[in-house]
Amino acid sequence: MIKILKYGEVKNEEIFARTEPLANVEGVVSQIIENVRKNGDKALFEYCEKFDKARLSSLAVDENEIEEAVNSVEPEFIRILQRAAENIKKFHEKQKRNSFIINDENGIVMGQKVIPVDRAGLYVPGGTAAYPSTVLMDSIPAKIAGVKEVVMVTPPNARGKVNPVILAAAYVAGVDKIYKVGGAQAIAALAYGTESVPKVDKIVGPGNAFVAEAKKQVFGRVSIDMIAGPSEILIVADGKTNPRYAAADLLSQAEHDKMASAVLVTDSEELAFAVQSELEKQIPLLERAEIARASIDNNGKIIVAENLSAAIDIANEIAPEHLELCVDSPFDYLDGIRHAGSVFMGRNCPEALGDYLAGPNHTLPTSGTAKFSSPLSVDDFVKKTQYTYYTKDALADVSQDVAYFAKKEGLTAHAKSALIRTGEDHE
C-alpha cells in the first residue's frame, strides 16, 4: 500500500528520497562495447543469438519487412500514428532556431550558423513493452532539425522479427535505416560503427540499465540525449480532485517499471486517504498489476502539505519527469513551477496525453535532472558554429587591447598574432 507522509512531521530525507537503481552493470557493458568495437557485426550477431535467441542472416530491416509490418497493423492505428506525428511536428516546428549575423560596426561581421548533425541514432526498446510513441518523439525532431539520416536500432524477437507497431511508427516518422540489434551492443554499434550499422553523431532514446550505462560510456565519442532513470510522475492536487482520476494517473507511470516513482502532493488529507484506497481498487485490475504493485508499494508516496504553495515548493525540490497540476486555474501556478520535465495542466490533462498524442516531447529528464536539463527537442539535433570577420582597419582599432589581454595571461604569441598584422609588433 502506498505510504502517506505529512510534510513537516517526517524527515525531509524521507519526503525527498529517491529509489536508486541497484544494477551494477559497468563492467559487463564495458566488455560488450569493446567486443563490438573490435569485432563489429560478428559480435552483434553473437549477442543477438545469446540475448534475443534469434539467429539472423542480416541485421538490416529491408523494405519488404517494413511493408509487411505496416500492412499487418490495423488501419486505425496507422491513422492514430499519423495524427500523433502531425501534433509532434506542429509543436517541434516552433523550436527551430535561425542562424544570425551582426554587422552593425564598420569592418566587423559576426554570426552564428545552426547546423544539424549529419546522422542521428535512435534506440527503441523491445523488451517488456514496445514503444512506437518513442519512435515518433525521437525521430520527428531530428527530421525537423534537418538531420540527413536517422538510424534506428531495436531488438528482434526470437523469430528475428521487429515488432510491427515499431516498424509502422518508423514508416510514419520517416526513419531512414533500421537495424535488428538491442541492448548495450546496439549503443556500441551506433557509437563506433560496424560493417552494417553506420556510426552516428548523436544517440537518443530510452532503455534499460545496460543501455543507460552504455550511453554513459560512449559519451564523448558521440553525443547523447540524457541518462534516463526510471519513469516518474508527481501530481499536485487540491481537495476537489477526483481520487479515481489521481489514482489512475499515478498508475499510468507505476505500470512502466517496478522502479518507477508515483507521487501525489496534496493539501487535503481526505484526498490522500481516498487516493490510497482507490489505488488498492485499481491495481488488481491492471494487466501489469505485479509491476504497478511493486512500484506503488516500494517507491510511491502521498505527501500531505499545508497548502498548495507548499505543495509547489515540494514539487520543485523533487523536480519530476512528469508533473500534473490538478487544480482550479492551473495557469495561476505555472510560473511557480521551476523544475519539471513536462507539466500537464488542469483536471482533464492526464500524463498519457503527453506520452502519445498532444505533441510536446515525452523524452524527459528524470531523477531530479529537470533542475538543469530539458526535454528532447530540435535543439538536441543541431550544433552551432560561430564566425568572425574583421577588416585590417577594424583589427587595428582593437589590436592593442587584444595584445594587452593576452599578455595578462602570459600568452605573448597570442599578442603578437594580433599586433603583427597592424605593424605594431616592435621587436
Side-chain angles (χ1 to χ4, degrees), residues 296-375:
I296 289 296
D297 288 357
N298 298 328
N299 311 320
K301 64 186 77 168
I302 298 174
I303 302 168
V304 180
E306 183 179 358
N307 50 48
L308 286 179
S309 177
I312 296 294
D313 289 342
I314 293 168
N316 279 326
E317 181 61 29
I318 293 174
E321 178 186 16
H322 307 99
L323 171 61
E324 289 188 7
L325 283 177
C326 293
V327 296
D328 291 332
S329 306
F331 285 94
D332 291 347
Y333 297 88
L334 184 58
D335 283 350
I337 301 297
R338 293 184 49 77
H339 309 305
S342 193
V343 184
F344 301 85
M345 310 283 286
R347 306 188 193 281
N348 302 300
C349 193
E351 182 278 330
L353 271 173
D355 275 346
Y356 302 116
L357 205 70
N361 210 283
H362 80 192
T363 300
L364 304 168
T366 61
S367 306
T369 59
K371 287 187 174 182
F372 52 80
S373 56
S374 306

Side-chain angles (χ1 to χ4, degrees), residues 66 77 81 84-85 88-89 92 120-126 129-144 150-155 162-178 204-206 355-356 361-363 376 381:
I66 296 172
F77 185 58
L81 284 173
I88 295 165
K89 288 176 185 176
H92 289 81
L122 164 60
Y123 186 88
V124 179
Y131 298 125
S133 56
T134 293
V135 180
L136 301 182
M137 291 288 182
D138 289 4
S139 58
I140 289 173
K143 287 291 185 179
I144 290 171
V150 176
V151 178
M152 188 176 91
V153 290
T154 189
V162 173
N163 191 311
V165 299
I166 296 292
L167 293 183
Y171 172 78
V172 169
V175 172
D176 297 294
K177 293 180 179 178
I178 307 170
V204 303
D355 275 346
Y356 302 116
N361 210 283
H362 80 192
T363 300
L376 189 77
F381 299 99

Side-chain angles (χ1 to χ4, degrees), residues 246-263:
D249 291 357
L250 290 171
L251 291 173
S252 72
Q253 292 307 294
E255 72 172 352
H256 266 297
D257 188 330
K258 290 181 180 181
M259 301 294 291
S261 169
V263 178

Side-chain angles (χ1 to χ4, degrees), residues 228-300:
S231 298
E232 304 168 345
I233 186 170
L234 186 147
I235 302 172
V236 172
D238 60 21
K240 299 178 186 177
T241 299
N242 188 321
R244 294 175 60 239
Y245 298 174
D249 291 357
L250 290 171
L251 291 173
S252 72
Q253 292 307 294
E255 72 172 352
H256 266 297
D257 188 330
K258 290 181 180 181
M259 301 294 291
S261 169
V263 178
L264 170 66
V265 187
T266 179
D267 61 350
S268 168
E269 191 170 345
E270 182 181 353
L271 178 68
F273 284 103
V275 171
Q276 184 185 56
S277 176
E278 188 62 35
L279 284 167
E280 294 306 301
K281 295 176 184 176
Q282 292 189 26
I283 289 173
L285 304 177
L286 299 175
E287 288 187 10
R288 296 165 67 88
E290 181 185 357
I291 293 173
R293 168 59 68 191
S295 169
I296 289 296
D297 288 357
N298 298 328
N299 311 320

Side-chain angles (χ1 to χ4, degrees), residues 54-65:
R55 185 171 292 181
L56 301 178
S57 58
S58 172
L59 295 169
V61 175
D62 61 33
E63 291 184 6
N64 290 334
E65 288 180 88

Side-chain angles (χ1 to χ4, degrees), residues 33 117 119-124 138-139 142 147 149-153 183-193 197-207 211-228 363 376 380-381:
I33 291 173
V117 300
R119 185 183 287 127
L122 164 60
Y123 186 88
V124 179
D138 289 4
S139 58
V147 175
E149 191 171 68
V150 176
V151 178
M152 188 176 91
V153 290
Q185 59 272 24
I187 302 302
L190 292 173
Y192 288 94
V197 183
K199 181 187 181 304
V200 303
D201 303 302
K202 177 107 183 190
I203 300 174
V204 303
V211 170
E213 177 62 30
K215 288 170 70 176
K216 186 187 300 184
Q217 291 191 24
V218 301
F219 175 64
R221 169 163 288 274
V222 294
S223 177
I224 63 172
D225 52 352
M226 61 189 75
I227 305 296
T363 300
L376 189 77
D380 282 283
F381 299 99

